[in-house]
Amino acid sequence: MDVKPINYELTFEPDLKKFTFLGTETITVSCKKTTNLISMDCAEIKIKSCTVKSGSKIVKSTPKTDEKKERLSIRLGEKIKGKATIHLEFQGILNDRLLGFYRSQYKQGGKTKYLATTQFEAADARRAFPCWDEPEAKATYEISIIAENKFTAISNMPVVSKKKLKNKTLYKFGKTPVVSTYLIYLGVGEFEYLTGKAGKVQIRVVTTKGNKSKGKYSLDLGKKLLNSYEKYFGIKYPLPKLDLIAIPVFAAGAMENWGAITFRETILLYDPKTSSTRTKQFIAEVISHEIAHQWFGNLVTMKWWNDLWLNESFATFMATKFVDKFYPEWNLWDQFIEDAMNTAMGLDALKTTHPIDVTVNSPAEIREIFDAISYDKGGCVLRMLEHYVGEKNFRAGLKKYLSTFKYGNAKGQDLWDAIGKASNMPVSSMVNTWLKQPGFPQIDISQKNNDLVIKQNRFLMEPTKQTQKGLWHVPITYGLGKETKTKLLTKKSMTVKAPKGPGFVANIGRTGFYRVKYDDGILLDLKMLVDQKQIPPVDRWAIQNDLFALCVAGKEDVENYLDFSDAYFEEDSYLPQTNVANNLNFLSLLTFFEDYTEQIRSYAINYFRKILSNLGWTPQKTDKHTDAFMRGFAIFALGKLGDEHVLEQAQKKFKEFLKNPSSLHPDIREPVFSLVAWTGNAKTHSQLVSLYKKAKTTEEKDRKSTRLNSSHLVISYAVFCLKK
């Protein structure tokens, strides 16, 4: 970059009646080479004036914008070099497209209101001010906002001064550390706050008026997480404040703007009276994810967008790790495996998948890689890497990486090098086999006398000779109890000594991102061990999960899976129980038109009835956290399978709810509304519309709006149950 920004002085004056904003900007730049042309990113902005100074000399300048290329070119009357300043005055649009500097609409007391907010990732800061809109162009920022007196202004840093200007107020914010454009934040609205402290750092939950009481859970959790991340990374949080801001209309789930994290309202505000167990958990995971970014992403930033996957998958991985520390009873790692790993493997088993690490030529291509491969598979690979090198070495390498590159930019390879050095293990060569090629391996294990023959091939739903290729460095863990071993498989096959004892499990704890196919003799031993619960829950889950995937891929018979699943009829652990339930439900839907559909349907109904019989319809104080998920899924699945008793109960509970809303627990409202909508008529539709209009929270509106169109019901709730 021949012209590099050093500091931006920015003043914004938004107009929430005309939906426009005025801006002034002074950029201090460094020109490495002699030039008479300065070019930067700029979109949907009208330049009103432009002045360029080289030293104390004003240089003649002619600005020209190219809307198609989203560029501002400033032609200079003479060549300059070294330090210079560019002063711009401009006008922009507070758009309604939820990107750049935009307006967010909401209702309050029957009135329509607006606030101004920003979403700059990946490359939309250029819609708010001319800039070098890429991660490596870090600079400091001095931001001011002029707002009407009824509004409050927010940015990345605390307010250092406020000045009255008739019916408006000028807010001046502190100077930021060096930061990338996509992490800058501007907010103007009728806000209220809940405030607390984590050490010397001020933490606020920011909401629209009337909602701050719902921010208590998020504030308390935010304080705990900030302190915990500081200790884990060994680096103090770099800013003096952290705002968690609830935005009524927001496209993403949340955004990690440095010191001013924005959230969709439903992912920050929690009401114990109306919010579900799932909502509480989701809020915790997202807050943890965004706070992890304050170090990994904000303090140390990727050089270019091809490493976005590392940014996001690392935050996903860390979010689970830290929320699990605070809420071990939630079994978050079990849920991570059931959700993230299953989702990623489902997508990665297709011929249309892509590698984790892909070339990104322009920010416009970024949305194409925001998928389960970037987030979920990436998170699984990091989990596999941590288990391979050990938690202590993983953390040591991470701390070294962050301290070396803080306030700068780094590549993924820099992290692998740091962890490899800390562990003295071949991290780079191992991890790159998982990043640079698509797919994942199937590990075939067969026993010959006292030896195990282990082979790897790519796992695919529809394999061909062209797509079958692939060779991974696979950490193979195998054994049972305390007798376990780890070998790194780097070739197509290897032979190892079989463990002694009645049987063994491979891919212990399902830490590796691969599927295992056992020979018939090993599988028979495993069925007995599963039935007797002599294998940990995660491994009981993994054995049948792999077997089911092999059935779907046509590599095993469905009859074999059903026979093996008999060992899970008395299962009482969430992870294997929910997965067997999911698989049986899937089979009953998949085989709907087959001759043997009634046999599978009956099998599935019996399994779900046993779950619901054990849990009951009414949540109890003694319930485990995950019981809420199983109960809702069992009710919904039984209703969809045509269980008359469940359908009658759903109707009965819905009628009671219409008379007394508190009679129906938030955790079972979703399945009850779903079944009522599915079996309902025009009157039911009217009732649901009325409930939607009367709902006081966004969460309640979301819960009811997804039920209004019963034709979309199966897809929406199946996704809700399987993905969350």
Side-chain angles (χ1 to χ4, degrees), residues 595-614:
D595 295 338
Y596 49 87
T597 184
E598 192 54 41
Q599 178 189 348
I600 291 177
R601 178 179 167 276
S602 176
Y603 199 99
I605 284 177
N606 286 338
Y607 195 81
F608 280 109
R609 278 178 179 166
K610 189 170 190 309
I611 292 171
L612 189 56
S613 174
N614 290 338

Side-chain angles (χ1 to χ4, degrees), residues 396-531:
L398 181 57
K399 287 169 77 172
K400 179 65 176 172
Y401 166 84
L402 288 173
S403 61
T404 301
F405 295 98
K406 62 185 177 182
Y407 301 109
N409 299 79
K411 295 178 180 178
Q413 188 60 47
D414 296 318
L415 178 59
W416 317 137
D417 290 343
I419 296 173
K421 194 170 182 180
S423 63
N424 197 27
M425 294 171 78
V427 168
S428 184
S429 58
M430 176 267 189
V431 81
N432 278 314
T433 65
W434 298 90
L435 306 181
K436 305 293 184 184
Q437 61 183 333
F440 61 93
Q442 169 186 313
I443 303 298
D444 291 1
I445 302 181
S446 57
Q447 187 160 0
K448 292 184 179 179
N449 300 319
N450 294 324
D451 290 333
L452 296 180
V453 179
I454 302 173
K455 298 179 180 179
Q456 67 162 301
N457 285 290
R458 184 177 174 187
F459 179 88
L460 275 167
M461 285 297 170
E462 297 177 281
T464 63
K465 284 184 179 179
Q466 290 77 19
T467 56
Q468 196 76 49
K469 295 175 183 177
L471 185 68
W472 290 262
H473 289 194
V474 190
I476 306 287
T477 54
Y478 59 98
L480 197 61
K482 294 179 181 178
E483 298 297 320
T484 63
K485 292 184 179 180
T486 299
K487 299 282 185 182
L488 189 66
L489 174 64
T490 59
K491 298 178 180 178
K492 277 290 182 183
S493 66
M494 69 177 179
T495 301
V496 298
K497 288 291 180 186
K500 295 175 182 178
F504 70 92
V505 173
N507 199 3
I508 297 167
R510 195 58 176 282
T511 56
F513 193 76
Y514 56 89
R515 295 203 177 277
V516 180
K517 187 178 189 297
Y518 300 97
D519 70 19
D520 292 343
I522 299 172
L523 208 56
L524 194 62
D525 290 339
L526 286 172
K527 184 179 179 183
M528 179 190 71
L529 293 171
V530 167
D531 192 42

Side-chain angles (χ1 to χ4, degrees), residues 133-153:
D133 202 8
E134 56 188 74
E136 204 171 356
K138 285 191 169 186
T140 53
Y141 288 78
E142 296 171 78
I143 294 171
S144 299
I145 297 176
I146 299 170
E148 290 181 41
N149 288 334
K150 66 177 180 178
F151 294 131
T152 305

Side-chain angles (χ1 to χ4, degrees), residues 533-548:
K533 294 190 175 68
Q534 292 185 32
I535 296 173
V538 63
D539 295 313
R540 299 203 297 270
W541 171 86
I543 297 161
Q544 64 79 37
N545 182 268
D546 286 339
L547 188 60
F548 182 75

Side-chain angles (χ1 to χ4, degrees), residues 611-627:
I611 292 171
L612 189 56
S613 174
N614 290 338
L615 294 176
W617 279 72
T618 308
Q620 304 294 324
K621 288 184 178 179
T622 55
D623 280 354
K624 291 181 290 188
H625 176 77
T626 48
D627 286 347

